[in-house]
Amino acid sequence: MIDQSQPPQPVSRRQLFGLGAGAAAVLGLAACGSSAGSGTAGSGSSVSGGTLTMGIASTPDTLDPGATGLALTLLISMAMFDPLVWWLPDGSGGSRFVPGLAESYTVSPDASVYTFKLRKDVTFHDGTKFDANAVKATYDHIVDPATQSKSGLGALGPYKETKVLDPYTAQIVFTQPNASFLHQQAAGNFGIASPTALAKYGPTGFGSHPVGTGPFMFSSYAPGSQLNLVKNPGYKWGPTALSAKPPVLDKLVFRIVTDDSGRYDALQSGQLQIAMNLPPNDIAAAQKNGQYKQLTVQSIGTPLGMPINVTKPPTDDPLVRQAILYAVDQQTLVSEVLFGVDTPAHTVLTPITPGYSAQSAALYSYDPDKAGALLDKAGWTMGAGGVRTKNGKKLALDIILWADGGMELPTEFVVSELNKVGFTATTSVQPFATAQASYNSGVHNLGAFGYFGTDPYLLNIWVNSDAIKSGFNWSHYDSPSIDSMIAQANKTASTAARDAIYEQVSVDLMQEAIYLPLWNVNDPFTMTSGVSGLHTTLNGYITFHSAALS
């Protein structure tokens, strides 16, 4: 899971692109399956104290939320750091902003200046008092080139400066309107750091000695093995929806188990109470077992799918691209290949993302006959062996995946669907750095992508024309009008007006057929029946403020 601005590497369920953690909730929870719900995971009577151990699939790149490029680090950081403002569920399927380290805030009419009135009763884990200077130190740290921020810097957008108006009033100023900022600052990258610790350990050393204000405090870390956090006994400033009291748990442990089956084995043997991001077959087995609960948290973002290169034949023809979208049955993919643990996707944003367009999601229903008719219209005629040809050339696709991305089986299904309407395809799997270079150079017809985010402005990451040769526009789609619409949306303070722009962008992108959506990004957590008190986020994550064991 990777950054919202310059993701260094992606990987399906285990390491999708994204700035991952912010708030609100859509979840499935059940002893033997998934069912709709909201808010928390609960069961039985909880007891005070104890150690909760969660198995994670990869090693954090740093423990500094302002420097990280991994969304996994942001999940962890939300246990140690607090944002100025939380973005949380409203209890009815929507979301709301609630006070965090800021008691209140105001936004200028053009969304270029954000002023925060701060709490006066907050203390960092190292004893430093929280005030406006801490806010300034945190944002100065993120924009400091020495920090080498991978996602926070980009997520800040057109940042200018942080002003200390008085000891408990901080003002964050942008060079132009930045309507996505409140969402971004709640996403994890901008948890406020101790200025004392920042000065003591420096821009790179802080990542090994994180000091925040959150419900848990850093204790020890063995890279590649496990991270140990302990209860913050003085915590009393969390939002009521999560818990304004010290944690119930004494310790929170993140154990690194890179092998998927190893995490499930550790869960079964009692070494773990929660296993994050098990593969679909193990999730299905756990649900069938009946001894485990499944919490699947949907996320804001771009569904996992396949960018379609609009510059390389034959996918340079929009009729061919549209045929691809009609030819693939996402529902069957989810039910038969992904064991029913995901939800099918049909557009460029997930359903819980602001600006989601139902109109764009309805543009392509599974219709292989329609796909065939479009290919006929494009001049591709069915030939021997069920492969279409045109001017002596086969209707052939080059598909490139990255290693360990979890896309091999889904891609086999996609290829089988495309074969039915006359395509042939060759699939190669490359190390991520090699695949990224291949995508940027445009040697593929179909690639692989997916993104966790906090705001529909995430489209700028992979649609913007400037991201073709060195970024993540792997569709090679160059549209100044789309670039302008996305930029205008981020300058628009009105939520309704912003959403309307993103809805139109989604319609336009799907009409251009630059992306084959497959399933909606989410994070699955498989846990023992004794785990309770978890809260979910809009970015597919969980928080541990009131987590408990029974």
Side-chain angles (χ1 to χ4, degrees), residues 420-434:
K420 295 175 186 176
V421 298
F423 286 91
T424 185
T426 301
T427 301
S428 62
V429 180
Q430 303 175 352
F432 175 72
T434 305

Side-chain angles (χ1 to χ4, degrees), residues 513-545:
I514 72 166
Y515 194 73
L516 170 62
L518 295 176
W519 69 90
N520 291 310
V521 291
N522 63 69
D523 263 329
F525 300 87
T526 308
M527 66 195 73
T528 61
S529 59
V531 176
S532 64
L534 301 175
H535 291 78
T536 61
T537 78
L538 265 180
N539 302 84
Y541 285 165
I542 53 178
T543 63
F544 300 92
H545 291 64

Side-chain angles (χ1 to χ4, degrees), residues 1-2 10-18 304 450-452 521:
M1 299 164 197
I2 306 190
V11 197
S12 86
R13 204 182 265 297
R14 284 171 284 181
Q15 284 182 299
L16 274 177
F17 296 107
L304 200 140
Y451 202 92
F452 286 90
V521 291

Side-chain angles (χ1 to χ4, degrees), residues 21 42 124 129 135 193 201 239 296 359 394 414 437 511:
F124 287 98
K129 291 291 292 182
V135 177
Y201 298 112
T296 299
Q359 178 185 354
K394 292 182 178 181
V414 169
Q511 287 177 335

Side-chain angles (χ1 to χ4, degrees), residues 308 310 314-327 364 370-380 388 390 395 418 421 423 510-514:
I308 306 175
V310 304
T315 51
D316 59 337
D317 185 340
L319 294 177
V320 173
R321 300 196 301 270
Q322 291 167 8
I324 290 172
L325 267 63
Y326 279 114
Y364 301 92
K370 177 71 171 178
L374 287 168
L375 294 173
D376 289 340
K377 185 178 180 180
W380 294 94
R388 291 177 181 266
K390 180 180 180 180
L395 183 57
L418 297 176
V421 298
F423 286 91
M510 290 305 296
Q511 287 177 335
E512 289 288 330
I514 72 166

Side-chain angles (χ1 to χ4, degrees), residues 42-386:
S43 79
S45 346
S46 62
V47 296
S48 181
T51 299
L52 188 152
T53 302
M54 185 169 88
I56 57 178
S58 59
T59 299
D61 55 343
T62 174
L63 299 178
D64 178 358
T68 186
L70 292 179
L72 172 63
T73 299
L74 299 184
L75 179 153
I76 295 169
S77 76
M78 293 180 76
M80 295 186 285
F81 296 84
D82 292 301
L84 293 172
V85 179
W86 291 91
W87 188 27
L88 297 174
D90 63 5
S92 60
S95 61
R96 60 179 176 170
F97 292 106
V98 298
L101 296 181
E103 294 179 332
S104 63
Y105 65 92
T106 58
V107 183
S108 64
D110 68 348
S112 67
V113 179
Y114 294 74
T115 304
F116 298 90
K117 294 289 186 180
L118 308 177
R119 294 183 66 125
K120 300 177 182 179
D121 61 345
V122 178
T123 303
F124 287 98
H125 300 154
D126 62 1
T128 302
K129 291 291 292 182
F130 165 75
D131 60 12
N133 289 309
V135 177
K136 177 174 171 55
T138 297
Y139 281 81
D140 286 351
H141 168 67
I142 292 170
V143 301
D144 182 352
T147 301
Q148 301 180 35
S149 174
K150 297 181 181 70
S151 61
L153 182 61
L156 264 180
Y159 176 78
K160 180 181 180 182
E161 62 181 334
T162 298
K163 296 180 178 180
V164 176
L165 301 187
D166 63 50
Y168 291 97
T169 306
Q171 188 174 79
I172 298 175
V173 183
F174 297 92
T175 58
Q176 63 186 44
N178 185 15
S180 68
F181 175 64
L182 276 182
H183 292 149
Q184 305 285 20
Q185 65 80 40
N189 282 114
F190 306 107
I192 305 302
S194 164
T196 302
L198 287 172
K200 179 178 180 180
Y201 298 112
T204 55
F206 184 77
S208 299
H209 303 87
V211 180
T213 62
F216 290 91
M217 304 183 293
F218 174 76
S219 176
S220 64
Y221 177 43
S225 178
Q226 70 180 43
L227 167 66
N228 300 304
L229 307 182
V230 296
K231 174 181 185 174
N232 178 4
Y235 191 74
K236 59 181 180 181
W237 41 83
T240 303
L242 300 182
S243 177
K245 301 176 181 179
V248 175
L249 298 170
D250 290 329
K251 296 181 181 179
L252 177 61
V253 175
F254 295 93
R255 182 172 298 171
I256 300 162
V257 186
T258 57
D259 180 66
D260 286 338
S261 60
R263 286 197 306 286
Y264 186 39
D265 290 344
L267 180 70
Q268 291 179 298
S269 67
Q271 299 175 62
L272 304 176
Q273 287 75 53
I274 304 176
M276 181 180 177
N277 287 337
L278 293 179
N281 58 310
D282 283 336
I283 292 175
Q287 292 174 329
K288 185 176 181 180
N289 179 289
Q291 298 181 34
Y292 303 101
K293 298 186 296 187
Q294 182 64 35
L295 180 63
T296 299
V297 190
Q298 302 300 321
S299 176
I300 283 176
T302 289
L304 200 140
M306 308 185 82
I308 306 175
N309 187 348
V310 304
T311 62
K312 179 180 179 176
T315 51
D316 59 337
D317 185 340
L319 294 177
V320 173
R321 300 196 301 270
Q322 291 167 8
I324 290 172
L325 267 63
Y326 279 114
V328 178
D329 184 356
Q330 289 94 333
Q331 182 59 61
T332 299
L333 168 67
V334 165
S335 61
E336 295 187 3
V337 179
L338 302 178
F339 294 85
V341 301
D342 295 286
T343 58
H346 301 284
T347 185
V348 294
L349 294 175
T350 63
I352 65 170
T353 304
Y356 169 81
S357 166
Q359 178 185 354
S360 69
L363 288 175
Y364 301 92
S365 56
Y366 175 57
D367 190 340
D369 291 337
K370 177 71 171 178
L374 287 168
L375 294 173
D376 289 340
K377 185 178 180 180
W380 294 94
T381 58
M382 190 65 79

